[in-house]
């Protein structure tokens, strides 16, 4: 499958691995793939998107930039057109909050609230007893230090992230494309309920909007 990936798609995958290594996350998940896609669109983590602004992590694999801090990849253009690059700081905060709640999205928290379950209160109690971020690290296995002369193993992809990659192939085939680009990864992230899809939807980016933006881009050449 990976031989079908374009250079842009490969950079997204490498960028996702870089995000996992940067944060110390044991696996590469949907959140890391989303952040790597946002890297392609540029923007600033503080919410500033001024041309030429430097932001942390710009030397991470997958962060090669064109003028103005953006690439010319299809996903970058779509995310820019939908305004996601300008809301990167908010998206990152939302992803961090999901991680802090142990994977529970805002939509999940609202649904549980309807059942009388206050997720934030539960998280606060857990953190009071076990420390801030206890749920984010629950069940994770600390990475072992490599033996002398051995390289540190790359983070594995989570089941959800693998599904995103596999689904991108099916989406590409359904669209009649012979390649898998970063636009297919973006479509795949938004095609099924998940952390990335929920966070993007909260910021005005849905599968339908991404598909329409890609169609409009193709029509305009």
């Amino acid at each position: 499958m990976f031989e079908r990936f374009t250079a842009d798609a490969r950079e997204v995958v490498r960028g996702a691995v870089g995000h996992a290594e940067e944060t110390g996350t044991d696996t590469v998940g949907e959140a890391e793939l989303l952040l790597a896609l946002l890297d392609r669109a540029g923007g600033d983590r503080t919410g500033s998107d001024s041309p030429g602004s430097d932001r942390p992590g710009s030397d991470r694999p997958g962060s090669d930039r064109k003028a103005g801090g953006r690439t010319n990849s299809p996903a970058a253009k779509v995310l820019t057109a939908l305004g996601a690059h300008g809301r990167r700081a908010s998206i990152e905060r939302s992803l961090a909050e999901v991680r802090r709640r142990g994977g529970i999205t805002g939509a999940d928290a609202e649904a549980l609230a309807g059942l009388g379950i206050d997720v934030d209160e539960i998280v606060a109690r857990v953190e009071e007893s076990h420390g801030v971020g206890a749920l984010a690290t629950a069940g994770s296995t600390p990475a072992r230090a490599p033996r002398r002369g051995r390289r540190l193993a790359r983070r594995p992809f989570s089941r959800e992230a693998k599904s995103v990659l596999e689904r991108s192939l099916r989406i590409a085939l359904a669209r009649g494309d012979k390649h898998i680009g970063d636009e297919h990864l973006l479509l795949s992230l938004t095609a099924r309920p998940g952390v990335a899809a929920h966070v993007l939807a909260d910021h005005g980016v849905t599968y339908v909007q991404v598909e329409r933006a890609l169609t409009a881009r193709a029509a305009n050449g």
Side-chain angles (χ1 to χ4, degrees):
M1 180 179 71
F2 287 101
E3 66 273 9
R4 293 174 178 257
F5 275 44
T6 64
D8 288 317
R10 292 173 187 269
E11 287 299 330
V12 170
V13 172
R14 283 194 284 265
V17 173
H19 275 290
E21 292 175 345
E22 182 182 272
T23 60
T25 306
D26 292 335
T27 59
V28 181
E30 287 189 9
E32 287 71 35
L33 286 170
L34 173 53
L35 290 173
L37 280 165
L38 289 171
D39 286 342
R40 312 294 289 166
D44 190 90
R45 290 181 179 181
T46 63
S48 171
D49 190 39
S50 57
S53 61
D54 296 327
R55 68 173 182 79
S58 60
D59 58 345
R60 182 189 304 110
S63 63
D64 55 320
R65 298 284 193 265
K66 304 290 189 206
R70 302 171 188 165
T71 71
N72 290 320
S73 72
K77 290 183 177 180
V78 168
L79 288 169
T80 299
L82 296 178
H85 73 291
R87 298 193 289 273
R88 180 184 178 113
S90 178
I91 291 173
E92 286 201 8
R93 285 194 296 270
S94 295
L95 290 173
E97 191 61 26
V98 170
R99 185 179 295 112
R100 177 173 171 259
R101 290 193 296 252
I104 298 176
T105 65
D108 293 334
E110 289 182 9
L112 290 171
L115 298 175
I117 301 173
D118 189 331
V119 173
D120 289 332
E121 182 180 351
I122 293 173
V123 172
R125 289 181 178 178
V126 171
E127 291 186 338
E128 184 178 351
S129 301
H130 303 284
V132 176
L135 286 176
T137 57
S140 64
T141 302
R144 295 180 179 179
R147 295 181 181 178
R148 182 172 298 180
R150 291 188 180 181
R151 297 178 61 185
L152 183 63
R154 289 268 183 165
R155 263 71 169 176
F157 280 71
S158 69
R159 181 179 59 184
E160 292 76 15
K162 289 179 180 178
S163 294
V164 170
L165 299 181
E166 293 167 358
R167 190 161 56 246
S168 68
L169 171 60
R170 295 196 294 272
I171 288 175
L173 292 175
R175 292 171 62 88
D177 297 328
K178 296 181 180 180
H179 67 279
I180 301 175
D182 61 354
E183 72 273 27
H184 300 111
L185 294 176
L186 179 57
L187 282 168
S188 182
L189 272 178
T190 56
R192 294 287 185 276
V195 170
H198 283 302
V199 170
L200 281 174
D202 287 342
H203 291 81
V205 180
T206 65
Y207 179 87
V208 171
Q209 290 173 317
V210 171
E211 193 172 45
R212 286 176 179 171
L214 286 171
T215 300
R217 177 176 173 271
N220 294 330

